[in-house]
Amino acid sequence: MTGSTPAGPVPAGAGTGRRPGLAAGSARPPAEVHDVALLDLDGVVYVGPDAVPGVPAALAVARERGMRLGFVTNNAARPPEEVAGHLCDLGVPAVPDEVITSAQAAASVVAGMLGTGARVLPVGGPGVAAALRAAGLTVVGTAEDGPEAVVQGYGREVGWAQLAEAVVAVRNGARHVATNTDATIPSPRGPLPGNGAMVRVVRDVAGSEPLVTGKPDPAMHAECVRRTGADRPLVVGDRLDTDVEGAHRAGAASLLVFSGVTDPALLLAAGPPHRPDLISADAGGLLVPHPPVTGGDGATWTCGRWAATAGDSGPLELRATEGEDGDPGDGLDGLRALCLAAWARAPEGSAPQVRAADGEARRALAAWGLAAR
């Protein structure tokens, strides 16, 4: 199979009936419930050149339990062969056919619109041009070569010269296609400019809105489902606006991890398309059960030994309901309760204030980077 094959719809078995929502949790580890994990890479499997600590071992255990892995990345800089090689170097065995990049999705879309052989100007890392060639498109180097489309993806070497060629080509009538519009990418130094920042340069100067083909468009996840034959896929990602929304649009369940760009404050403010089914510190969450969240009177939500209360107005309140220090499980039960309280009070999403009812709650909020009031 090749990345140039257009993705079809997600199979019926991966449809909307399999999204339980954060309140339901998962009584069994997700690796035992879902047959395939569709893993984002940046911020999930690795940050920069290095693996997220513990994740290669966790993915190995998930495979031992029968879960298959697919790798779905909005980063278009590298071809699948190079991505698979990097994963192998990090201790995550992978082959190119298990990797779906946004460059492949863009190339499929352009080939479908313009036909094979169409002239296309790539902007980005080597993965962009490689995907275009694999889809049967003709790669050109300048605006003067008469490209019918510009495909723009992330590349660390992208600079003024490439952006200028893209602007001229788009002004001359070329279709502007962006592999993704992620504003940032995670790094050991914190978030850095992503492809979306460069796409905005071309959009603003050329005055033309790009066609965006990467996540959250469901084509990438659908293609990975097709390749793996998944019946119960689980999208594992670190971004609300691409991974979680993409899972919703593809009819798949989602696991949000905090090893990349999303933090608890962003999660609490999430609107309905950006609310995951499960949360975890990292991809090790595939291996453990996830507790449910219950709401007794509609204003108070409980998870484990934590309760979160949301009145009609004012801050949400978190308190420990029993025992002394310590939170059994993964340490996120209180955050799960806070999420349901926040989402119940603000169905469309908004940034809530949070206060602690006791010292233990104050320490928990500090650990999640939430200001305790």
Side-chain angles (χ1 to χ4, degrees):
M1 289 171 285
T2 69
S4 61
T5 302
V10 175
T16 55
R18 297 191 186 277
R19 296 200 307 268
L22 191 61
S26 180
R28 295 163 54 206
E32 299 175 7
V33 176
H34 299 273
D35 57 347
V36 176
L38 308 182
L39 294 140
D40 183 46
L41 293 178
D42 290 315
V44 177
V45 179
Y46 50 69
V47 174
D50 301 317
V52 175
V55 166
L59 296 181
V61 174
R63 275 179 160 146
E64 290 172 1
R65 297 186 184 181
M67 178 174 251
R68 303 193 301 283
L69 307 181
F71 305 98
V72 189
T73 177
N74 260 0
N75 191 326
R78 299 181 294 176
E81 294 78 8
E82 189 175 335
V83 174
H86 182 205
L87 288 170
C88 291
D89 291 342
L90 296 178
V92 182
V95 297
D97 260 9
E98 293 174 325
V99 178
I100 304 292
T101 73
S102 59
Q104 291 174 300
S108 294
V109 169
V110 171
M113 288 192 311
L114 303 177
T116 57
R119 300 165 72 83
V120 183
L121 175 67
V123 176
V128 178
L132 296 175
R133 292 189 181 98
L137 298 161
T138 301
V139 172
V140 301
T142 71
E144 279 64 40
D145 293 323
E148 300 170 66
V150 172
V151 172
Q152 184 175 3
Y154 175 76
R156 295 181 63 182
E157 296 76 24
V158 172
W160 184 91
Q162 278 191 296
L163 295 176
E165 291 301 316
V167 166
V168 173
V170 173
R171 276 206 304 249
N172 288 343
R175 188 71 168 92
H176 186 198
V177 178
T179 63
N180 69 87
T181 53
D182 297 355
T184 62
I185 59 170
S187 86
R189 302 166 63 193
L192 297 176
N195 191 52
M198 301 298 181
V199 168
R200 283 196 294 273
V201 172
V202 177
R203 180 199 67 187
D204 292 348
V205 178
S208 176
E209 285 293 328
L211 171 66
V212 183
T213 60
K215 294 180 290 184
D217 188 278
M220 292 176 64
H221 288 137
E223 173 65 6
C224 203
V225 165
R226 185 187 69 79
R227 292 189 188 193
T228 60
D231 180 58
R232 300 177 307 281
L234 176 68
V235 173
V236 184
D238 69 314
R239 302 186 73 103
L240 302 176
D241 57 347
T242 56
D243 301 313
V244 174
E245 183 179 340
H248 275 277
R249 291 174 61 179
S254 60
L255 166 63
L256 176 75
V257 298
F258 294 117
S259 50
V261 301
T262 297
D263 60 23
L266 288 173
L267 178 61
L268 287 180
H274 298 157
R275 294 171 181 172
D277 300 290
L278 304 169
I279 62 173
S280 178
D282 55 43
L286 292 170
L287 307 179
V288 297
H290 293 248
V293 184
T294 58
D297 57 8
T300 298
W301 297 82
T302 61
C303 184
R305 54 187 300 273
W306 292 98
T309 301
D312 293 335
S313 61
L316 306 179
E317 182 177 88
L318 179 70
R319 68 181 185 276
T321 59
E322 61 183 48
E324 298 181 359
D325 290 350
D327 186 356
D330 60 6
L332 297 176
D333 288 356
L335 181 59
R336 293 180 174 97
L338 279 173
C339 284
L340 269 294
W343 299 343
R345 192 169 74 181
E348 298 307 312
S350 64
Q353 295 180 342
V354 183
R355 69 184 179 197
D358 50 56
E360 189 175 355
R362 186 171 294 106
R363 289 189 290 275
L365 292 176
W368 303 326
L370 298 172
R373 298 178 181 272

